[in-house]
Amino acid sequence: MAKPAQGAKYRGSIHDFPDFDPSQDAETLYNAMKGFGSDKEAILELITSRSNRQRQEICQNYKSLYGKDLIADLKYELTGKFERLIVGLMRPPAYGDAKEMKDAISGIGTDEKCLIEILASRTNEQIHQLVAAYKDAYERDLEADVIGDTSGHFRKMLVVLLQGTREEDDVVSEDLVQQDVQDLYEAGELKWGTDEAQFIYILGNRSKQHLRLVFDEYLKTTGKPIEASIRGELSGDFEKLMLAVVKCIRSTPEYFAERLFKAMKGLGTRDNTLIRIMVSRSELDMLDIREIFRTKYEKSLYSMIKNDTSGEYKKALLKLCGGDDDAAGQFFPEAAQVAYQMWELSAVARVELKGTVHPARDFNPDADAKALRKAMKGLGTDEDTIINIITHRSNAQRQQIRQAFKSHFGRDLMADLKSEISGDLARLILGLMMPPAHYDAKQLKKAMEGAGTDEQALIEILATRTNAEIRAINEAYKEDYHKSLEDALSSDTSGHFKRILISLATGNREEGGEDRERAREDAQEIADTSSGDKSSLETRFMMILCTRSYQHLRRVFQEFVKMTNYDVEHTIKKEMSGDVRDAFVAIVQSVKNKPLFFADKLYKSMKGAGTDEKTLTRIMVSRSEIDLLNIRREFIEKYDKSLHQAIEGDTSGDFLKALLAICGGED
């Protein structure tokens, strides 16, 4: 097992057991498995309380005392996931990795995710031990087996990682950093096609310290995180492997926190992944993983395991976890540092926003108008033609088609479409036909009319639009409904929530850059949650969140972490409630990562029983020419399935066809 560096703090959750007696432990385990049935509680309590080194001594003593193989006896007595976990703990780490690699490449099909996880995250020393353990256990060459079971650039990168020759020198040459940035840029963004060999060489061989500086410089030079270029230039398992390598270079514990979250979220649990990570990281960095997990997902790893597993399996996993971070009610300083670094990255990132719907080439509004008229004339309607034309034209082009339709036929295209199509398809197509500001104005009007108010729709629109978009919405609202948006909001909402919405609806958010001194003052203003009443706190948050520029707010949120050890989103959720909380959280998430905010909203609109078609339609229409491609990338990154797949699994018929056309592709 790799030991922490000299003077480094131990970050595992499992420690050597004090007053350890391997012979006594061997006897305890023997008695727990003797006779009819087995004492699973005693087995799990003992094995999860010993370090791996101590477990090896127990194995040797068990063999000496009883002439039997302890692992074989455990396999015989235990079953299912609990057996896999306990047996996994009994293997030396390198042999555990070797077993996982063997299982991933033997039989029909390959578990590429397992190969990626192990080879992207292990140190040189761990790789060398793995290769030797594989040879010893299976009398086979691991590299040869990997080559025989994989292909293409994916195979090449796996073979490079299997060499375990990543540079380990922390002395970094600035010239080489600049050269690597240039080489990566020229191999991807600046090249027709991609020079995968450059990506493989640089990401497979350079030291972690060097690569972190390369990633920082790449962002400053290109305005894009390296991950965005990898997603744009590479594909399939090779893309997933390179992204995993980048994540592990940035923070191996953060990579594993994300893997654990994805293993347990949604329906069903990926137990193999959960077991592998909990076993392999329990004596390395489980405390770091726990803290990052708490920061990123606002729940403790302990509580998620507790809610997602059961029986002895759950008890054993919770022992490996080593504690519940929610019990302390606070983030730990290390986790706060991760939040701080995330805001640092956010503060310098210049993400290029891209839509999925673009102006059609060789556009002919007269021809489109005639084709649409033909699709709606006579008996029946040709929905395919309507969908094909309207989803493949930009909004500006659709307005020209409306004019041409009126000129040729003296008819209102919107009225004709309304009479020919219905339901979800009609809402989607008619939404696409409206100018964006008028569409948003209509969505706000619908959110406020009738019994009850759709507060989530009001928040979603007003918390995410730019000043220019808000001003255009105000004009459109006045033009279409002969009433100001502010008056409508005033009569339909109340209290602090009303004040927040009206503040956002003025479209007067500052647009300048950051001011560090002022950012510290702003952070101090909202950091003091102890003094004053709740109303005062909400007013202070509103004054800053609703008026400062996004760039400045990123710096405020970073200073807030430094002062309080909390991410601002966590504080809002803890201190506030109801619509006020939801509005502030939406602003913070929009500042953090607007495409991710919309990806979350889309996911929630389709998960579980039933679909929230209104939210789904509103986001697909309103973001199609702004950042839907970015939303797609965030969606697959967070939910391990593409937006295309989610839509396909949750909608049907012509509505499905139109949504997929707007989605613009399968990731």
Side-chain angles (χ1 to χ4, degrees):
M1 160 133 339
K3 298 216 166 24
Q6 190 96 26
K9 198 171 163 191
Y10 180 71
R11 301 298 294 159
S13 55
I14 299 293
H15 302 263
D16 280 341
F17 188 73
D19 304 321
F20 171 59
D21 184 338
S23 298
Q24 190 180 321
D25 284 351
E27 186 181 343
T28 301
L29 289 171
Y30 180 76
N31 290 333
M33 294 186 280
K34 199 168 63 175
F36 188 69
S38 53
D39 185 349
K40 296 182 180 67
E41 190 80 37
I43 293 169
L44 88 84
E45 185 60 40
L46 190 149
I47 289 175
T48 59
S49 301
R50 306 298 185 268
S51 67
N52 191 277
R53 179 187 63 78
Q54 290 174 331
R55 292 181 209 124
Q56 304 317 309
E57 288 189 51
I58 296 169
C59 277
Q60 289 165 359
N61 276 267
Y62 194 90
K63 189 72 157 263
S64 301
L65 288 169
Y66 307 108
K68 292 159 74 75
D69 183 282
L70 176 54
I71 289 182
D73 280 5
L74 288 167
K75 276 184 182 175
Y76 180 79
E77 291 292 333
L78 309 177
T79 57
K81 295 174 283 194
F82 181 55
E83 178 223 317
R84 284 208 302 277
L85 177 60
I86 293 297
V87 169
L89 286 167
M90 295 307 300
R91 294 191 181 98
Y95 285 82
D97 279 350
K99 175 74 165 65
E100 293 291 332
M101 293 289 287
K102 183 77 167 67
D103 290 347
I105 52 185
S106 60
I108 300 168
T110 306
D111 182 353
E112 290 86 1
K113 286 185 177 177
C114 173
L115 299 182
I116 290 169
E117 180 197 296
I118 291 174
L119 294 183
S121 65
R122 300 314 192 243
T123 63
N124 286 345
E125 185 186 350
Q126 288 166 339
I127 293 280
H128 298 153
Q129 290 170 353
L130 159 62
V131 170
Y134 192 91
K135 186 84 168 175
D136 181 49
Y138 307 111
E139 297 179 348
R140 297 178 64 86
D141 182 67
L142 178 53
E143 185 178 320
D145 281 359
V146 167
I147 288 171
D149 212 61
T150 56
S151 61
H153 297 297
F154 178 56
R155 175 170 65 194
K156 288 177 190 169
M157 185 62 176
L158 290 176
V159 169
V160 167
L161 295 173
L162 268 171
Q163 306 315 300
T165 52
R166 184 176 296 287
E167 295 162 0
E168 294 181 330
D169 188 359
D170 279 347
V171 179
V172 178
S173 156
E174 286 184 25
D175 290 343
L176 188 56
V177 167
Q178 294 296 342
Q179 186 61 54
D180 281 352
V181 168
Q182 195 58 37
D183 288 347
L184 286 170
Y185 192 41
E186 288 175 0
E189 299 284 339
L190 296 182
K191 190 179 175 69
W192 180 258
T194 307
D195 181 359
E196 289 87 354
Q198 280 287 18
F199 279 85
I200 290 171
Y201 177 72
I202 293 170
L203 294 182
N205 290 287
R206 299 287 193 239
S207 74
K208 285 192 166 192
Q209 183 64 23
H210 173 88
L211 284 172
R212 286 184 194 121
L213 292 175
V214 168
F215 299 159
D216 291 345
E217 282 303 311
Y218 190 90
L219 178 62
K220 288 177 193 167
T221 303
T222 68
K224 276 185 172 185
I226 187 71
E227 292 92 336
S229 290
I230 288 172
R231 286 192 198 97
E233 298 297 326
L234 313 180
S235 61
D237 292 323
F238 180 46
E239 176 197 344
K240 292 188 182 87
L241 173 58
M242 298 307 256
L243 287 171
V245 169
V246 170
K247 283 175 183 170
C248 288
I249 296 295
R250 289 196 188 280
S251 168
T252 304
E254 187 171 353
Y255 170 72
F256 282 114
E258 188 179 304
R259 291 279 294 156
L260 284 168
F261 180 75
K262 287 178 176 176
M264 291 183 281
K265 75 178 174 65
L267 287 172
T269 304
R270 295 171 194 173
D271 294 292
N272 285 351
T273 302
L274 180 55
I275 291 167
R276 184 170 59 244
I277 297 172
M278 295 302 290
V279 168
S280 65
R281 310 313 291 186
S282 60
E283 293 182 48
L284 294 175
D285 52 7
M286 185 55 69
L287 297 187
D288 293 323
I289 292 168
R290 268 172 40 185
E291 288 161 359
I292 291 168
F293 194 99
R294 181 71 185 82
T295 302
K296 281 191 81 162
Y297 304 112
E298 292 163 1
K299 62 178 79 176
S300 67
L301 176 58
Y302 188 96
S303 66
M304 198 157 183
I305 291 170
K306 198 172 176 182
N307 293 332
D308 214 64
T309 57
S310 60
E312 281 89 9
Y313 175 51
K314 172 170 83 173
K315 288 178 187 171
L317 285 170
L318 292 178
K319 289 273 286 182
L320 295 181
C321 186
D324 185 359
D325 302 312
D326 278 341
Q330 293 217 52
F331 294 139
F332 294 168
E334 290 90 342
Q337 283 307 307
V338 173
Y340 183 90
Q341 285 154 15
M342 284 161 68
W343 282 116
E344 181 66 55
L345 191 64
S346 166
V348 297
R350 289 178 287 126
V351 177
E352 187 183 355
L353 299 179
K354 290 182 179 176
T356 53
V357 174
H358 309 280
R361 292 177 184 173
D362 305 321
F363 172 58
N364 184 334
D366 295 326
D368 283 349
K370 287 171 185 171
L372 286 169
R373 174 70 178 142
K374 185 181 175 186
M376 294 186 284
K377 208 165 61 171
L379 196 63
T381 306
D382 180 358
E383 285 89 355
D384 283 347
T385 296
I386 294 171
I387 291 168
N388 190 49
I389 291 174
I390 290 174
T391 60
H392 290 92
R393 305 293 183 268
S394 67
N395 194 276
Q397 290 176 332
R398 293 181 208 123
Q399 304 318 310
Q400 292 182 54
I401 296 170
R402 282 178 73 172
Q403 290 168 351
F405 197 89
K406 190 73 160 258
S407 300
H408 280 288
F409 309 110
R411 301 171 67 89
D412 182 349
L413 175 54
M414 295 285 279
D416 280 8
L417 286 167
K418 212 178 269 189
S419 68
E420 291 293 327
I421 54 178
S422 60
D424 294 326
L425 178 66
R427 274 199 294 276
L428 182 64
I429 294 296
L430 291 168
L432 289 167
M433 291 303 303
M434 295 179 74
H438 289 266
Y439 179 71
D440 277 347
K442 184 175 184 184
Q443 297 308 303
L444 290 168
K445 178 81 163 64
K446 288 175 95 65
M448 292 184 279
E449 68 188 7
T453 304
D454 183 351
E455 291 86 1
Q456 291 305 311
L458 297 178
I459 291 168
E460 178 204 302
I461 295 169
L462 294 174
T464 61
R465 302 308 192 249
T466 65
N467 283 343
E469 288 167 340
I470 293 279
R471 288 168 195 152
I473 292 168
N474 274 296
E475 287 175 27
Y477 200 95
K478 187 88 171 180
E479 183 185 330
D480 293 345
Y481 308 112
H482 312 294
K483 183 179 185 179
S484 77
L485 176 57
E486 184 178 329
D487 286 347
L489 290 167
S490 290
S491 59
D492 206 66
T493 57
S494 61
H496 275 287
F497 182 54
K498 174 172 83 173
R499 291 174 60 204
I500 292 164
L501 293 181
I502 288 174
S503 179
L504 293 172
T506 60
N508 284 325
R509 183 180 291 285
E510 295 166 3
E511 294 187 335
E514 64 181 65
D515 176 335
R516 288 200 178 219
E517 187 53 46
R518 189 181 179 209
R520 279 190 282 274
E521 291 169 8
D522 286 347
Q524 189 65 60
E525 185 71 20
I526 58 176
D528 186 6
T529 58
S530 57
S531 65
D533 58 12
K534 189 175 168 187
S535 176
S536 159
L537 181 65
E538 288 172 352
T539 300
R540 282 183 277 135
F541 265 86
M542 188 186 83
M543 292 295 293
I544 290 162
L545 295 192
C546 296
T547 63
R548 307 295 194 252
S549 72
Y550 271 27
Q551 194 175 338
H552 180 79
L553 283 174
R554 288 189 186 105
R555 189 61 65 188
V556 172
F557 298 157
Q558 193 182 27
E559 293 296 330
F560 186 90
V561 172
K562 204 190 289 184
M563 287 175 189
T564 66
N565 236 17
Y566 285 85
D567 187 89
V568 70
E569 189 177 332
H570 173 79
T571 297
I572 291 167
K573 287 177 176 174
K574 184 180 168 212
E575 298 291 336
M576 300 175 198
S577 60
D579 297 326
V580 169
R581 176 199 60 206
D582 292 347
F584 285 150
V585 166
I587 294 168
V588 172
Q589 289 179 344
S590 191
V591 171
K592 277 183 179 176
N593 184 337
K594 197 178 287 186
L596 178 58
F597 169 77
F598 283 115
D600 285 340
K601 297 281 283 182
L602 284 171
Y603 178 76
K604 285 169 185 166
S605 77
M606 292 182 279
K607 76 169 185 147
T611 306
D612 178 359
E613 289 88 0
K614 286 182 182 174
T615 300
L616 177 56
T617 299
R618 185 172 61 244
I619 295 173
M620 295 296 286
V621 168
S622 63
R623 310 313 295 182
S624 59
E625 292 183 54
I626 299 173
D627 54 2
L628 191 52
L629 187 62
N630 306 81
I631 292 167
R632 265 173 42 186
R633 287 171 179 164
E634 295 292 349
F635 195 99
I636 195 167
E637 175 74 17
K638 183 162 181 181
Y639 297 111
D640 262 0
K641 66 154 80 165
S642 67
L643 178 57
H644 189 284
Q645 286 172 320
I647 290 168
E648 225 170 17
D650 215 65
T651 59
S652 59
D654 292 322
F655 182 49
L656 165 66
K657 286 181 194 170
L659 285 171
L660 291 183
I662 298 169
C663 184
E666 164 69 290
D667 296 301

